Amino acid sequence: MPRLPTPLTLADPGTDTDTGRGRRAARRRQRRETTTAWAFVSPSVLVILGLSVVPVAWSLLLSFQADDLVTPSRWVGLDNYRALVQDPHFSQAVRNTVLYTVLYVPLSIGLGLALALALNQRIRLVGLYRTLIFVPFVVSAAAQGVLFSFILDPEFGAANSVLHKLGISPQGFLTDPGQALLALVAISLWSGTGFCVVVMLAALQDVPPSLVEAARLDGAGRRHVLRHVTLPALAPVLTFLTVWQTINALQVFDLVYVTTKGGPLGSTTVIVYFIWEQAFKNFTAGYGAAAAYALALALLVLGTVPRTVRAVRGRARADHRLEGAAR
């Protein structure tokens, strides 16, 4: 029996009108929701634009000008950047900053790892010890500077009093060009190590106990467990801390300002203090802005290098897997 054709069903003439009205109502509702959302978000957007985007753009233009913040500015192009290359004071500030970073970052991470491993054990009053180690981190750098200025005072400080009782001659500390930067590194370690301890302690508690137990059953000692189990598990955290501590070290300012003000003889003048000095002390704002963008470029490179290295390693692993599958 031949198959009958399926009858066509015509839509009701009012259906299209109802659909169009629904779409227009949905669009109006969406516009109202968008307007309401922007009404809530706009104050934050204005604050971000006013305090971040606009100053960044303005300082970029300022770096190409000669400006003393009083008289009208004058366009000088790349002259400020050329002057930075030839400025011995800027070179000294770069050397001081690099030395401070090279000393502070590995020591803070190494001490933080050692303390985190010790505090990850079941010992009495471990909560108190963790609190005492973390407390210096929440103390402001200005307060730290004032405190250690009294402690390290060459004439009346407690440090030289202790050294005198031990039979050691008094030290200059913050007033000695050969010791001032090392003293700042020690002060920074007193406060910054607590952050590393807390972060790595949290990461240590996430290491699977089964891996540690399996390694010990295979005869691995503490050193081998640390090297082959614990450190690989902490690798992402160590990378984060390295980048974080390096950025903080490159931006150190308040501790230097409170304690040494870049002295003695420029031995503690770091890049950020050099920028402040040029912009607000010597009233060469354009030159200071150029130095600030040189630092910003260094921080940008520092932030992108780990991501690039991780991407290259991931691509290399993927290629190795493909080669192994092809074989």
Side-chain angles (χ1 to χ4, degrees):
M1 182 175 180
R3 186 176 181 181
L4 298 176
T6 303
L8 298 176
T9 303
L10 299 178
D12 189 9
T15 303
D16 293 339
T17 304
D18 295 340
T19 303
R21 291 176 180 174
R23 290 177 179 176
R24 286 194 295 271
R27 283 195 292 267
R28 286 196 298 268
R29 184 169 59 254
Q30 184 177 5
R31 282 196 295 268
R32 286 196 302 268
E33 292 177 354
T34 303
T35 303
T36 303
W38 275 108
F40 283 105
V41 172
S42 56
S44 300
V45 172
L46 292 176
V47 170
I48 293 173
L49 290 175
L51 299 180
S52 300
V53 179
V54 174
V56 166
W58 179 75
S59 61
L60 178 61
L61 294 176
L62 187 63
S63 67
F64 298 105
Q65 302 174 26
D67 194 335
D68 59 1
L69 300 177
V70 178
T71 60
S73 60
R74 178 172 52 88
W75 186 267
V76 295
L78 296 175
D79 289 350
N80 287 327
Y81 293 94
R82 296 191 188 98
L84 281 177
V85 178
Q86 302 173 358
D87 190 349
H89 298 290
F90 181 72
S91 301
Q92 184 184 24
V94 172
R95 288 194 301 270
N96 292 337
T97 305
V98 171
L99 179 59
Y100 175 87
T101 303
V102 169
L103 291 174
Y104 170 67
V105 174
L107 288 175
S108 64
I109 295 177
L111 289 174
L113 178 60
L115 291 173
L117 290 173
L119 295 176
N120 196 38
Q121 307 297 323
R122 293 181 179 179
I123 57 179
R124 188 178 180 184
L125 301 177
V126 65
L128 176 62
Y129 300 146
R130 294 173 181 176
T131 303
L132 292 177
I133 290 175
F134 184 71
V135 163
F137 176 72
V138 302
V139 178
S140 66
Q144 296 171 28
V146 173
L147 173 64
F148 280 95
S149 294
F150 285 106
I151 294 175
L152 301 179
D153 186 272
E155 296 183 3
F156 309 105
N160 273 333
S161 298
V162 174
L163 292 179
H164 177 71
K165 292 181 179 180
L166 296 176
I168 301 175
S169 60
Q171 304 296 315
F173 295 118
L174 297 174
T175 60
D176 187 344
Q179 299 178 0
L181 190 63
L182 298 178
L184 291 181
V185 172
I187 297 172
S188 301
L189 288 174
W190 176 76
S191 62
T193 304
F195 176 76
C196 297
V197 171
V198 171
V199 173
M200 282 190 281
L201 188 59
L204 284 172
Q205 294 177 353
D206 287 337
V207 176
S210 58
L211 294 179
V212 178
E213 293 177 2
R216 289 176 177 173
L217 289 176
D218 289 339
R222 291 185 178 181
R223 182 170 58 87
H224 293 89
V225 171
L226 175 64
R227 179 180 177 183
H228 298 289
V229 178
T230 305
L231 289 182
L234 293 180
V237 174
L238 292 175
T239 302
F240 160 75
L241 285 175
T242 301
V243 175
W244 180 267
Q245 295 292 80
T246 303
I247 291 175
N248 287 335
L250 292 176
Q251 292 181 327
V252 63
F253 169 75
D254 38 10
L255 182 62
V256 176
Y257 181 81
V258 174
T259 54
T260 63
K261 292 188 173 8
L265 301 178
S267 60
T268 59
T269 299
V270 292
I271 294 180
V272 178
Y273 187 84
F274 176 85
I275 294 169
W276 173 86
E277 193 174 37
Q278 296 300 321
F280 301 106
K281 190 175 180 180
N282 299 337
F283 293 101
T284 53
Y287 191 56
Y293 268 90
L295 175 61
L297 180 61
L299 294 176
L300 179 63
V301 172
L302 178 65
T304 55
V305 164
R307 187 183 299 271
T308 304
V309 172
R310 200 158 45 241
V312 171
R313 287 180 178 177
R315 195 177 301 113
R317 291 173 183 172
D319 294 340
H320 182 71
R321 291 173 183 173
L322 289 176
E323 291 177 359
R327 293 175 183 174

